[in-house]
Amino acid sequence: MESLELGKRITLKRKHPNPLFQSWLEDLHNEAKEKKSKLENILNEALTSLSKYPLPLHTGAECAILKGFNKRLCAFLDKKLEIYNSSNKSSPTSPTSENIHTKENRSNFPAPSKYVTNSPTKVINLIENELITSPTKLTTGIEEYDNPHIHISPVKSTSPVKTQGKSKIAYKPAYQSGGYAILIALFEQSNERELRALDKETLIERAQKHCDTSFTVKKPESFYTAWSNMQRLISKGLVQKSRSKKVEYSLTDEGYLLAKELFKSSQNIPSTDDLIFNHYPTSQSCLSDKELNKSIENNNPPESTNIDNSHKEYIDFTANSFDIILLIDKNETSGVSKKDDPTVVQFKKYPHICHEYRSLKVGDYAWVARNRDSNEELVLPCIVERKRIDDLAASIKDGRFHEQKFRLRRCGIDNVIYLVEYYGSNKNVGLPVQSLMQALANTRVIDDFKVHITKSLSHSARFLAILTKRLAVRYKDKNLRGWDASPKDNVLMTFNYFNKTTVKSKPLSVNEMFIKILLQLKGVSVEKAVAITNQYKTPHSLIKTYKHCNEREGEMLLANLKYGDLGRNVGPTVSKTIYRLFI
């Protein structure tokens, strides 16, 4: 026997390490190809990744590590493998054995319930139907993606339908789902006039107010919108599509009865707007009364006895002479005039909340008190910066995060709320979740901002609607005073002054530029930077002091400098970093 060369690696590569799984997927793929099903590309991707994988896979769940495998496909393989093994108890065989599967014995493989039937066509139809009609159940990796941050209360079915001697639960779309909204919109149309059919654009416009998700914007990590539910309604015989010049949709007799039942059930469920104005919120997604009051407790408006009418530069609003308006930055929308813009759609659900879209120079949401007679506006001491979780990660990476916090701190409004909104499964946002949570913790503790996390855009809109109501209740019986200057004590600033002084491109003073330079350094917060610049107004004054110090003294010069309300030290690490920067 010839000796092997030293250092030469010997590898063993199986030609078909997973023949069972590959065979079952090939059957599905061939059937999908013949039907020209949408699953063809998905199955082709799964087959390709499986054929390239060099190691044996013992269960369907293990396939989740490969590209193209979602939870349903893994469950299909597991179920088929379970039944295959149960039918071969006398001589159980590993799914990785290469001699167990040939063209001749494929038809002998048993089929699991639901996904595995004697006909591959039925398998394709089952999986394809669920992927199309249940887009929120699409999966990525080993865990099923069913957004845990969004809760939609289902409308429970109470009337079982008998079919061929078997009873099954009648199909009812979940409350505020796409299918539910379509049925309700068509039902309302049929009650308005004899013409019961609606074209797609009109139907979407009418149905959107009944739905939690968008009919035009795809769901996070999905290819589907609320309109995707239309195919299921048609297949269930609830909606029919006309074949005239312009495609129109209308209810069938069965669809009308179901829509009527859903409509009656919805009468007992308060609307989102009604929940805000007639009920105290109980959802955990909203701040409690105590938390909301705390967010503005530092700026109590003056009572009538505190108003001095001798100062002509003051602007005075008497109690109940003004309205509280929520201002929404135009940059938060893709176009105010667009009917399908997600932000516009969400706030349309709250017709009793007075809100307007404007160009805000800082922040995304602010509130003003507008006098009904003079239309003068005073800015209330509360502002919100909204960040979707992926945008938060991007702003940290490119430096916008600290720059925006600096501008929010200097805008003249003491109560800043950082509103962070989850999006999809939030697995790939560009930064580790721990880093994001640490950044938010620093924002809360060091910068003294209020941080509130919501589950989705709809929850963010609800939070802002509740906050608007609380502000209105708090201020409606108060006398307000303002002027065209920075707010001081209980005197508010006008909106014109606020927007003029927060322009991003306005010239900065030397002191402000010094603060912005310091904020670029790791570990330097806004409060630390302000404390340093209060002691040394310009970089020149700090450098001049450094020149009179030796290296050790220079590194520790700022270490014991106090900052913030708690009087903490800047610390030796930051002090040394700043010394290295300027010397």
Side-chain angles (χ1 to χ4, degrees):
M1 181 183 294
E2 295 180 2
S3 59
L4 297 175
E5 286 185 35
L6 292 176
K8 190 172 182 179
R9 177 178 294 178
I10 301 176
T11 59
L12 173 63
K13 184 176 181 181
R14 296 172 182 249
K15 188 176 181 181
H16 297 291
N18 299 285
L20 266 181
F21 293 161
Q22 187 166 348
S23 174
W24 289 331
L25 290 178
E26 284 175 356
D27 286 340
L28 283 180
H29 178 259
N30 291 335
E31 185 64 28
K33 191 173 182 180
E34 291 177 8
K35 285 185 59 184
K36 296 183 179 179
S37 166
K38 294 180 180 179
L39 284 179
E40 181 184 347
N41 293 334
I42 298 175
L43 292 170
N44 184 56
E45 185 179 44
L47 270 171
T48 302
S49 59
L50 181 64
S51 63
K52 292 180 179 179
Y53 192 68
L55 300 177
L57 296 165
H58 301 284
T59 65
E62 291 182 8
C63 295
I65 63 175
L66 302 179
K67 192 174 182 181
F69 284 86
N70 56 36
K71 183 67 176 289
R72 282 192 175 82
L73 206 50
C74 293
F76 162 72
L77 294 176
D78 272 333
K79 189 65 178 178
K80 191 146 189 175
L81 182 61
E82 177 187 346
I83 295 181
Y84 174 81
N85 287 335
S86 65
S87 65
N88 292 272
K89 286 183 179 179
S90 57
S91 56
T93 312
S94 168
T96 62
S97 299
E98 298 188 27
N99 59 347
I100 61 175
H101 184 73
T102 61
K103 293 275 185 179
E104 289 74 19
N105 61 13
R106 281 189 186 183
S107 59
N108 296 327
F109 291 157
S113 58
K114 188 176 181 181
Y115 288 119
V116 186
T117 69
N118 291 329
S119 170
T121 303
K122 293 183 179 180
V123 179
I124 295 296
N125 290 338
L126 281 170
I127 300 179
E128 184 182 40
N129 187 50
E130 292 199 16
L131 287 174
I132 294 172
T133 57
S134 303
T136 57
K137 295 286 187 179
L138 286 176
T139 63
T140 330
I142 198 165
E143 294 182 355
E144 183 173 5
Y145 171 67
D146 185 4
N147 194 335
H149 306 297
I150 301 177
H151 173 69
I152 301 176
S153 302
V155 180
K156 295 183 179 179
S157 174
T158 57
S159 54
V161 177
K162 292 186 177 180
T163 307
Q164 296 179 355
K166 297 180 180 180
S167 64
K168 62 178 183 179
I169 302 300
Y171 165 72
K172 279 189 178 181
Y175 177 65
Q176 289 192 335
S177 65
Y180 170 90
I182 291 171
L183 291 176
I184 294 296
L186 289 173
F187 177 77
E188 291 175 341
Q189 169 69 8
S190 65
N191 288 336
E192 288 181 10
R193 45 187 164 181
E194 294 182 1
L195 181 62
R196 297 189 176 187
L198 291 174
D199 60 78
K200 180 178 179 179
E201 184 178 352
T202 307
L203 179 54
I204 287 177
E205 182 179 350
R206 296 194 175 202
Q208 186 62 78
K209 62 182 179 181
H210 300 295
C211 187
D212 264 345
T213 54
S214 174
F215 274 85
T216 54
V217 180
K218 295 175 182 178
K219 297 179 182 180
E221 301 176 357
S222 171
F223 296 101
Y224 302 97
T225 65
W227 181 257
S228 302
N229 290 270
M230 174 59 79
Q231 184 169 344
R232 186 172 193 178
L233 295 176
I234 295 175
S235 65
K236 293 288 184 181
L238 302 173
V239 175
Q240 58 189 3
K241 183 165 63 171
S242 68
R243 297 294 180 182
S244 58
K245 293 181 179 179
K246 190 174 184 179
V247 177
E248 293 183 327
Y249 301 87
S250 60
L251 293 173
T252 62
D253 292 339
E254 294 80 2
Y256 182 84
L257 293 176
L258 176 58
K260 184 177 181 181
E261 183 180 348
L262 293 174
F263 182 79
K264 286 182 178 179
S265 299
S266 68
Q267 300 306 299
N268 300 323
I269 302 175
S271 65
T272 51
D273 189 57
D274 188 46
L275 282 169
I276 298 298
F277 280 89
N278 300 317
H279 301 272
Y280 285 99
T282 57
S283 171
Q284 294 182 354
S285 67
C286 304
L287 290 180
S288 64
D289 287 339
K290 183 178 180 180
E291 289 174 311
L292 288 171
N293 288 332
K294 186 178 179 181
S295 70
I296 52 175
E297 64 185 359
N298 296 327
N299 293 78
N300 293 320
E303 301 292 343
S304 58
T305 55
N306 295 331
I307 294 181
D308 182 3
N309 292 321
S310 63
H311 295 278
K312 295 182 180 180
E313 67 272 17
Y314 288 152
I315 300 171
D316 295 326
F317 292 176
T318 57
N320 297 306
S321 67
F322 53 85
D323 297 312
I324 303 299
I325 313 293
L326 167 63
L327 303 183
I328 304 172
D329 185 21
K330 286 183 178 179
N331 294 326
E332 285 294 286
T333 70
S334 58
V336 178
S337 59
K338 291 186 177 180
K339 299 177 182 178
D340 58 350
D341 179 80
T343 302
V344 175
V345 167
Q346 289 300 327
F347 280 98
K348 278 185 177 179
K349 295 180 179 179
Y350 305 98
H352 291 92
I353 293 290
C354 297
H355 62 279
E356 295 180 2
Y357 297 89
R358 295 191 193 175
S359 178
L360 300 180
K361 308 305 181 185
V362 64
D364 297 316
Y365 303 92
W367 287 264
V368 295
R370 180 190 295 160
N371 190 284
R372 298 191 187 102
D373 296 326
S374 63
N375 284 331
E376 292 177 305
E377 295 176 334
L378 300 179
V379 179
L380 299 184
C382 191
I383 191 169
V384 174
E385 175 75 18
R386 169 179 168 253
K387 286 287 183 189
R388 210 170 68 179
I389 196 76
D390 52 344
D391 185 39
L392 173 63
S395 68
I396 293 174
K397 292 170 68 175
D398 62 20
R400 287 182 292 120
F401 181 62
H402 293 292
E403 193 269 341
Q404 288 170 342
K405 287 198 296 184
F406 169 72
R407 296 182 65 234
L408 285 167
R409 176 61 67 198
R410 308 280 288 185
C411 72
I413 298 178
D414 291 334
N415 300 288
V416 181
I417 300 176
Y418 223 81
L419 182 63
V420 181
E421 181 181 297
Y422 280 105
Y423 182 72
S425 61
N426 309 313
K427 291 180 180 178
N428 301 306
V429 294
L431 283 178
V433 175
Q434 293 86 347
S435 300
L436 296 178
M437 294 302 104
Q438 184 61 55
L440 294 179
N442 293 342
T443 301
R444 185 194 295 269
V445 177
I446 298 176
D447 299 309
D448 197 28
F449 289 177
K450 283 75 179 176
V451 176
H452 185 68
I453 300 177
T454 62
K455 302 173 182 179
S456 64
L457 176 58
S458 62
H459 287 80
S460 297
R462 177 182 170 82
F463 165 75
L464 293 165
I466 292 175
L467 185 52
T468 303
K469 179 189 175 182
R470 294 291 183 265
L471 290 170
V473 170
R474 185 178 180 87
Y475 283 99
K476 68 176 183 179
D477 297 326
K478 305 289 184 179
N479 297 305
L480 303 183
R481 163 167 288 183
W483 58 2
D484 282 322
S486 299
K488 183 179 180 182
D489 298 329
N490 291 324
V491 182
L492 306 174
M493 60 179 161
T494 64
F495 178 76
N496 289 335
Y497 177 84
F498 166 73
N499 235 22
K500 181 176 64 176
T501 56
T502 53
V503 176
K504 190 173 182 179
S505 59
K506 74 171 185 175
L508 297 176
S509 65
V510 175
N511 185 262
E512 290 173 332
M513 183 59 72
F514 190 19
I515 292 176
K516 294 194 71 172
I517 292 172
L518 293 175
L519 286 175
Q520 305 306 310
L521 301 177
K522 184 178 180 180
V524 179
S525 66
V526 173
E527 288 188 335
K528 286 183 181 179
V530 170
I532 294 169
T533 54
N534 285 339
Q535 184 74 21
Y536 303 96
K537 302 296 183 182
T538 64
H540 179 266
S541 62
L542 179 60
I543 294 172
K544 187 176 179 180
T545 305
Y546 279 145
K547 288 181 178 180
H548 292 86
C549 303
N550 58 37
E551 183 176 355
R552 176 61 181 170
E553 291 173 340
E555 290 179 348
M556 297 300 294
L557 177 66
L558 305 174
N560 297 321
L561 187 65
K562 305 295 182 182
Y563 75 94
D565 297 333
L566 299 178
R568 295 171 177 168
N569 294 332
V570 170
T573 303
V574 171
S575 179
K576 184 177 181 179
T577 301
I578 296 174
Y579 176 77
R580 296 294 183 189
L581 175 65
F582 290 103
I583 296 298

